[in-house]
Amino acid sequence: YRDEPAGVVVEEIDHGLLELRGEFESSRKLTKHPLKFTFTGPHMLSRVLINDYYPDGRSLAMAIAKVLSEQVKDIHADFIQIDEASIGGHPQDLEWAMEAINVVARAIPGRSGVHICYGNYGGQTVQKGNYEVLLPKLLELEVNQFVLEFARRGYDELVHFAKYDSRIEIGLGVIDIKDLQIETPDGVAQRIETGARIIGADRLAAVPDCGLWMLPRSVALGKLENLVKG
């Protein structure tokens, strides 16, 4: 970006200061436990940038995807998650969004997932939509897992995923990150059991709805501790 406010695309996208492998290596030194590495995906980035260079959103997303794919190809995390928190509210973009996300997904050397939610700004939902509209297009994604918001939304929509005999696991949101109330282990277990009844325990992983960055540290830690206990 040259002589423009941050977030305005005025020339061809390149790597710039982005260094995902360095970020991963810094994180890897901090723990011996399995490590999930996450980054924002091409559709969401194309939605939050002001595009004054590419002819359309698809072209911008594909340019971003090319850069991200080159960045992640040498990241050997236990799990790599592409965050796509805008697609839920923009189903009209599905065709080219799936194409761009798959460019990145194919470059990931290990297990991978795509996270979809409906917003987490100041603890507020900022988009309307539903998962049924996104299916079956989501099944085109070449990832191992969908990481989905359910604790805040309820579990009625999970039946839409049960209709498909899919190779893709469901990262079931069982922690509400828009609420300061810390879930009990029993409450978490009940949410997992609900998911298992609907879609089968062999397809589930228990996760928070989204990131916990808006929460006080003590609340975030409490939620994570009870997620593990549940």
Side-chain angles (χ1 to χ4, degrees):
Y1 309 123
R2 193 175 296 159
D3 300 323
E4 293 285 347
V8 180
V9 181
V10 296
E11 59 187 35
E12 185 174 350
I13 294 282
D14 62 23
H15 292 260
L17 299 177
L18 187 65
E19 183 47 70
L20 292 182
R21 182 176 177 182
E23 295 290 342
F24 166 69
E25 290 174 349
S26 295
S27 302
R28 180 71 279 178
K29 294 175 183 177
L30 300 177
T31 179
K32 294 181 180 179
H33 291 291
L35 180 63
K36 174 190 280 191
F37 184 76
T38 73
F39 59 91
T40 307
H43 176 264
M44 186 172 179
L45 287 173
S46 72
R47 274 283 170 184
V48 299
L49 292 170
I50 298 172
N51 180 16
D52 282 346
Y53 180 78
Y54 290 91
D56 51 37
R58 177 191 177 279
S59 301
L60 174 59
M62 292 301 289
I64 295 169
K66 182 177 184 295
V67 170
L68 291 176
S69 66
E70 293 169 355
Q71 292 265 330
V72 301
K73 65 182 181 181
D74 295 321
I75 296 178
H76 294 276
D78 298 277
F79 191 95
I80 293 182
Q81 177 175 302
I82 306 168
D83 289 336
E84 288 289 4
S86 289
I87 192 62
H90 299 90
Q92 70 276 11
D93 297 345
L94 274 171
E95 192 71 43
W96 57 264
M98 299 301 100
E99 182 183 3
I101 296 167
N102 270 338
V103 168
V104 183
R106 292 182 192 118
I108 294 173
R111 284 175 51 77
S112 64
V114 170
H115 168 59
I116 299 171
C117 71
Y118 290 86
N120 181 22
Y121 295 93
Q124 301 298 313
T125 298
V126 296
Q127 297 183 111
K128 294 181 179 180
N130 61 76
Y131 293 128
E132 185 177 17
V133 172
L134 305 181
L135 288 165
K137 203 68 183 173
L138 282 185
L139 298 176
E140 295 179 5
L141 290 174
E142 298 178 25
V143 296
N144 302 104
Q145 188 180 108
F146 297 143
V147 186
L148 304 172
E149 173 185 359
F150 276 110
R152 165 62 52 144
R153 296 170 65 85
Y155 295 89
D156 291 346
E157 293 177 283
L158 193 57
V159 296
H160 303 309
F161 294 90
K163 297 174 185 177
Y164 297 94
D165 181 16
S166 174
R167 60 183 169 75
I168 301 178
E169 301 168 356
I170 301 298
L172 187 75
V174 296
I175 297 294
D176 187 351
I177 51 79
K178 298 183 178 74
D179 193 333
L180 293 175
Q181 182 70 35
I182 297 175
E183 290 83 354
T184 66
D186 284 345
V188 169
Q190 289 172 10
R191 290 172 177 177
I192 295 171
E193 289 165 359
T194 295
R197 284 196 300 271
I198 296 172
I199 204 166
D202 59 332
R203 286 184 62 191
L204 294 184
V207 299
D209 270 0
C210 191
L212 292 88
W213 67 287
M214 297 299 303
L215 296 171
R217 184 178 293 269
S218 59
V219 173
L221 289 174
K223 284 176 173 285
L224 291 177
E225 288 171 357
N226 285 355
L227 167 61
V228 174
K229 292 176 182 176

